Amino acid sequence: GHNRWSKVKNVKGPRDVARSRLFQRLSLMLRTAAREGGPDPALNAQLANVVEQCRAKNMPKASIEAAIHGAGNDGRGGTTRLRAEGGGTRGATGPSGPPHLSGGGTGGCTGGRGPGRLPR
C-alpha cells in the first residue's frame, strides 16, 4: 500500500548504513591482520580470529576473501613511502621554499583522484 516505501526508508535504510559501517570496520581489520601475518588464516592466528568475528556478524564470504586479497602484495608489506624533494640543504624550509612531497609508489591505483595528488 501507500506506506511501504516509508517503512523501507525509515527502517531498512539506517540498518543498512550500520551494517555497512560494521563491514567496513571488519574489512579494515582483515586487511591489517593479513598485512601483518600473511593471508593464510591457518598460519595467522590474528587473521583467523578476525575471520571468526566476520562470520559471527554474517559478513559475506566474498567480502571476507576480497578484503584479505586486497591487503596488497599477497599480504606482505604494501606501504607507500614519501620523499621530500627540494628545499635546499638548509632543512625543512630554505631559499628554494618548502620541500615537495612526492609519492614513491609503484604507479598503481590512484584511488580515482587522478595522477596529480598524493597516493593514499
Side-chain angles (χ1 to χ4, degrees):
H2 66 283
N3 200 16
R4 183 166 183 171
W5 168 243
S6 66
K7 286 190 176 182
V8 168
K9 182 174 64 173
N10 294 327
V11 174
K12 187 177 182 295
R15 189 185 314 146
D16 285 349
V17 169
R19 180 177 159 122
S20 172
R21 194 175 297 130
L22 172 70
F23 286 174
Q24 186 177 9
R25 187 170 59 239
L26 287 172
S27 66
L28 178 66
M29 290 168 59
L30 282 168
R31 285 193 305 269
T32 304
R35 271 193 209 110
E36 290 175 358
D40 188 10
L43 302 175
N44 186 349
Q46 183 182 4
L47 180 61
N49 185 18
V50 176
V51 168
E52 287 302 316
Q53 290 179 20
C54 292
R55 288 190 178 142
K57 299 291 183 182
N58 296 324
M59 187 172 182
K61 187 175 182 181
S63 300
I64 294 172
E65 291 173 356
I68 292 173
H69 293 303
N73 298 337
D74 295 330
R76 294 186 297 271
T79 59
T80 301
R81 296 175 182 257
L82 296 177
R83 302 187 289 271
E85 298 176 350
T89 59
R90 294 181 46 182
T93 58
S96 60
H100 171 73
L101 291 177
S102 65
T106 59
C109 178
T110 59
R113 293 179 171 171
R117 298 204 180 165
L118 291 175
R120 290 184 187 197

